[in-house]
């Protein structure tokens, strides 16, 4: 499988938040995504805060906060890391 390039976050995105459970099967793909892609994502977007929020029993979800406080989010429950990558790409491109 070809390597996935890091998501380039546009300047109008002020923050990325990823919520997940440390142990649940529903969050397995999110944990894999963070393990495989977080470093490249942060290197590509050093000025954008990327917050990882772990809480027992929480359903995994990714949020993108845009200018003027507008937030978009998507459930990432039971998804593989590659699908989470494409969902994040979509969230940071919306304006």
């Amino acid at each position: 499988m070809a390597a996935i390039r890091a998501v380039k976050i546009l300047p109008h995105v002020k923050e990325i938040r990823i919520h997940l459970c440390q142990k649940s099967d529903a969050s397995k793909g999110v944990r894999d995504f963070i393990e495989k892609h977080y470093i490249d994502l942060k290197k590509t977007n050093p000025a954008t805060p990327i917050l990882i929020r772990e809480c027992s029993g929480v359903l995994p979800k990714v949020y993108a906060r845009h200018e003027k406080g507008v937030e978009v989010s998507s459930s990432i429950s039971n998804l593989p890391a590659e699908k989470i990558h494409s969902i994040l790409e979509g969230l940071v491109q919306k304006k």
Side-chain angles (χ1 to χ4, degrees), residues 20-55:
L20 70 145
C21 175
Q22 305 95 319
K23 299 177 183 176
S24 75
D25 289 339
S27 292
K28 183 179 182 339
V30 185
R31 292 190 300 270
D32 291 344
F33 173 82
I34 292 167
E35 187 176 307
K36 293 176 185 175
H37 303 292
Y38 177 80
I39 292 173
D40 287 337
L41 183 62
K42 194 59 189 171
K43 282 182 182 176
T44 304
N45 306 284
T48 304
I50 301 171
L51 310 173
I52 309 297
R53 300 289 185 238
E54 295 178 320
C55 182

Side-chain angles (χ1 to χ4, degrees), residues 12-14 65-71 95:
H12 68 272
V13 176
K14 302 303 178 191
R65 185 171 53 85
H66 297 256
E67 292 176 326
K68 300 180 184 174
V70 175
E71 279 195 0
K95 188 160 186 174

Side-chain angles (χ1 to χ4, degrees), residues 2-23:
I4 297 177
R5 63 176 166 53
V7 174
K8 176 65 179 152
I9 299 173
L10 298 178
H12 68 272
V13 176
K14 302 303 178 191
E15 174 185 274
I16 299 295
R17 277 190 332 274
I18 301 173
H19 292 199
L20 70 145
C21 175
Q22 305 95 319
K23 299 177 183 176

